[in-house]
Amino acid sequence: MYTGKHGRVLGIVLAGGKGERLMPLTKYRAKPAVYFAAKYRIIDFALSNLINSGIYSVYVLVQFKSQSLNEHIERGWQFGGAMRGRDFFVTLVPAQMWSGEHWFQGTADAVYQALHMITRYRADRVCIFAADHIYKMDVDQMLSWHMAQHADVTIAANVVPVSEASEFGCINTDKNGRIIGFMEKPKNPPEIPGKPGFSYVSMGNYIFERKVLEEALDDDAMQETSHDFGRDIIPKLVNHGMRVYAYDFSTNVLPHPNADTELIHQWRTDKPYWRDVGTLQAYWKAHMELIGHESEMTLYNPMWPIRTVSFGDPPTYCYPDSGHDCSINRVMLSEGSRVFGATVTSSVLARNCLIQSGSVVEESIIGHDVVIGHNCRIKKAIIDGCNIIPDGTVIGEDPEQDAKNYYVDPKSGLVVMGVPKELYLTGSDNLEEAQSWDSMG
């Protein structure tokens, strides 16, 4: 039985979210399964944080449109051979329906339906983390804080300006970090003691002592509530005098290579990162930030890798074609992507996409296996996987014309193309998997 310095720690990843504000990217898949940064999926960040932090026992709670998410976890997140066992696993858990034939009623109910697994694992403490944000953090440091405070519950708290805090669940603490109030999206967010002008907001990541969690979930299951950690569980524990603390996310330090190595400058700037990518505008903006030279997050720190499924794709390839030069600037390219005689700037190209001669792509996110024909002009677009863009197509220049042919996000003006419907005959959003079932799914 594996027991680390913090006792037996179990990870639970909440991956059942619909992600309705990311439509049409979530029309056929759960939000944690949405692709990010050319080759990853959103859930890869939560799982990488746990594994990198030495938490090797993880339940992933799934629900809505989970087929592609299931395939992703089974293909890329399994311990193999002698490592697989009771203490080394990443296991998918659908709604168990122990208390009735219903799906998850809220984040707390999702964990309640898996409570027997937590008890059977004999966890000392449980890390409950969200799978629908892009973030990097060393969970081991949060566990150390939790233990040092003799806390019953610890909440990861991001520091944001007061002017932005009302969009989140806000945390009111005393000068020692103990939570004395928890409120959802208040008009007047409380300031952090000693940090005027800033507030703590909940990241949706929690560490519970197992017995406290069991009692809280059992009690909540008997009440008429929304069965949500932020709305119900945490406020009640605070009001009942439990030791609930905020962990200041800004104090988290990510490891990096030894200071004597070359190229240390880039890794020394690697620091904790958190972005809510719950809207199309936020999703696009996070990508545009990522491709900037001074991006707050790096994917190139070898001591804190973001892990994902690996494919046997060929290298990226760029070449002049048909009298057109090939120009690429501020672009993130994944394996197998090809640019022939096209101009691509400030964009992200996923696996095995092809951009043909004479085309210009700007400030766009191009999904896997997308083919963009000759002489196209595409600007501020999100094109999901497996779409084929005909020669001469223009996207992002005429809002009225775009609205006739595609989905246009009313807040940002972004033009968005979801995955072709026929790809989902098998419920998959992976072309290789679909072809293996002899269909377009």
Side-chain angles (χ1 to χ4, degrees):
M1 182 179 293
Y2 176 76
T3 302
K5 64 180 180 180
H6 300 303
R8 282 183 65 74
V9 179
L10 177 66
I12 292 183
V13 175
L14 301 175
K18 288 183 178 180
E20 293 177 326
R21 295 180 298 165
L22 279 178
M23 289 285 285
L25 302 181
T26 51
K27 186 174 183 179
Y28 299 111
R29 60 163 82 91
K31 181 180 176 183
V34 171
Y35 285 89
F36 188 84
K39 64 179 294 180
Y40 307 100
R41 299 198 188 221
I42 292 175
I43 194 173
D44 290 331
F45 291 81
L47 290 175
S48 294
N49 289 329
L50 292 171
I51 297 299
N52 291 346
S53 302
I55 299 171
Y56 305 122
S57 305
V58 182
Y59 287 123
V60 180
L61 308 189
V62 298
Q63 181 164 247
F64 298 104
K65 303 172 184 176
S66 66
Q67 182 59 31
S68 65
L69 180 60
N70 296 349
E71 292 169 2
H72 180 72
I73 298 299
E74 291 172 356
R75 177 176 290 192
W77 282 98
Q78 299 304 311
F79 290 95
M83 288 294 290
R84 182 177 294 178
R86 182 182 181 187
D87 296 318
F88 299 92
F89 61 84
V90 178
T91 297
L92 292 159
V93 181
Q96 299 296 289
M97 302 186 182
W98 284 87
S99 58
E101 295 184 3
H102 59 79
W103 299 107
F104 300 148
Q105 303 298 301
T107 55
D109 180 64
V111 179
Y112 178 72
Q113 291 199 35
L115 196 56
H116 61 292
M117 297 180 180
I118 297 171
T119 303
R120 186 178 62 186
Y121 181 79
R122 298 181 184 176
D124 295 310
R125 40 208 55 91
V126 183
C127 296
I128 302 172
F129 276 58
D132 54 1
H133 298 139
I134 301 300
Y135 60 103
K136 292 173 67 176
M137 69 176 293
D138 185 351
V139 185
D140 182 79
Q141 294 170 37
M142 183 176 171
L143 276 163
S144 294
W145 166 264
H146 174 86
M147 299 289 286
Q149 309 311 311
H150 304 286
D152 296 310
V153 185
T154 298
I155 302 173
N158 197 24
V159 178
V160 302
V162 170
S163 59
E164 301 175 10
S166 59
E167 297 296 317
F168 304 94
C170 290
I171 300 169
N172 191 14
T173 69
D174 63 19
K175 62 180 181 180
N176 297 315
R178 184 166 179 173
I179 296 176
I180 56 178
F182 192 95
M183 55 217 78
E184 281 289 334
K185 299 182 179 180
K187 292 183 179 179
N188 299 304
E191 294 185 340
I192 302 171
K195 291 185 179 181
F198 292 90
S199 297
Y200 278 143
V201 300
S202 172
M203 296 169 58
N205 297 339
Y206 315 103
I207 297 175
F208 277 82
E209 293 296 295
R210 176 172 62 87
K211 291 184 179 180
V212 173
L213 178 64
E214 290 172 338
E215 292 174 3
L217 292 179
D218 282 334
D219 178 67
D220 181 72
M222 302 299 292
Q223 310 297 323
E224 290 292 332
T225 73
S226 58
H227 306 297
D228 183 83
F229 279 108
R231 293 187 180 90
D232 306 302
I233 300 293
I234 301 300
K236 184 175 290 186
L237 291 175
V238 170
N239 293 336
H240 288 180
M242 303 297 285
R243 295 181 62 83
V244 184
Y245 279 81
Y247 171 71
D248 189 336
F249 176 62
S250 68
T251 66
N252 202 261
V253 178
L254 295 177
H256 52 70
N258 186 281
D260 293 332
T261 62
E262 295 182 5
L263 302 179
I264 186 61
H265 174 72
Q266 180 179 6
W267 291 314
R268 182 172 288 171
T269 59
D270 193 16
K271 58 184 179 180
Y273 177 95
W274 182 71
R275 290 291 185 275
D276 182 354
V277 291
T279 67
L280 290 168
Q281 184 174 20
Y283 177 80
W284 176 84
K285 185 178 179 181
H287 279 87
M288 295 303 106
E289 289 178 354
L290 191 61
I291 60 178
H293 179 65
E294 300 298 329
S295 171
E296 292 185 22
M297 181 176 72
T298 176
L299 299 171
Y300 302 96
N301 183 347
M303 294 188 69
W304 203 263
I306 303 302
R307 306 164 193 272
T308 191
V309 176
S310 294
F311 296 90
D313 296 320
T316 295
Y317 185 64
C318 307
Y319 198 78
D321 185 53
S322 302
H324 295 276
D325 196 9
C326 185
S327 176
I328 298 176
N329 186 25
R330 286 172 52 92
V331 178
M332 178 176 289
L333 306 94
S334 191
E335 302 95 320
S337 57
R338 293 170 292 163
V339 180
F340 291 153
T343 298
V344 184
T345 59
S346 300
S347 296
V348 175
L349 308 185
R351 300 172 42 246
N352 295 322
C353 62
L354 170 62
I355 302 179
Q356 302 194 73
S357 63
S359 290
V360 177
V361 178
E362 302 174 84
E363 298 178 295
S364 295
I365 303 168
I366 310 300
H368 66 90
D369 297 289
V370 168
V371 176
I372 296 177
H374 302 273
N375 303 311
C376 297
R377 299 198 306 273
I378 297 173
K379 185 173 183 178
K380 286 191 175 181
I382 302 174
I383 302 177
D384 209 342
C386 301
N387 279 287
I388 298 177
I389 310 300
D391 294 349
T393 298
V394 178
I395 297 175
E397 295 183 7
D398 185 340
E400 292 186 5
Q401 189 63 34
D402 288 336
K404 293 179 181 179
N405 299 315
Y406 317 106
Y407 175 79
V408 178
D409 180 37
K411 289 188 176 181
S412 63
L414 291 163
V415 182
V416 186
M417 296 179 64
V419 173
K421 182 178 179 180
E422 58 268 23
L423 187 70
Y424 283 88
L425 297 178
T426 63
S428 173
D429 65 355
N430 181 279
L431 191 61
E432 292 91 340
E433 187 75 21
Q435 291 171 340
S436 72
W437 285 90
D438 193 28
S439 77
M440 287 296 293

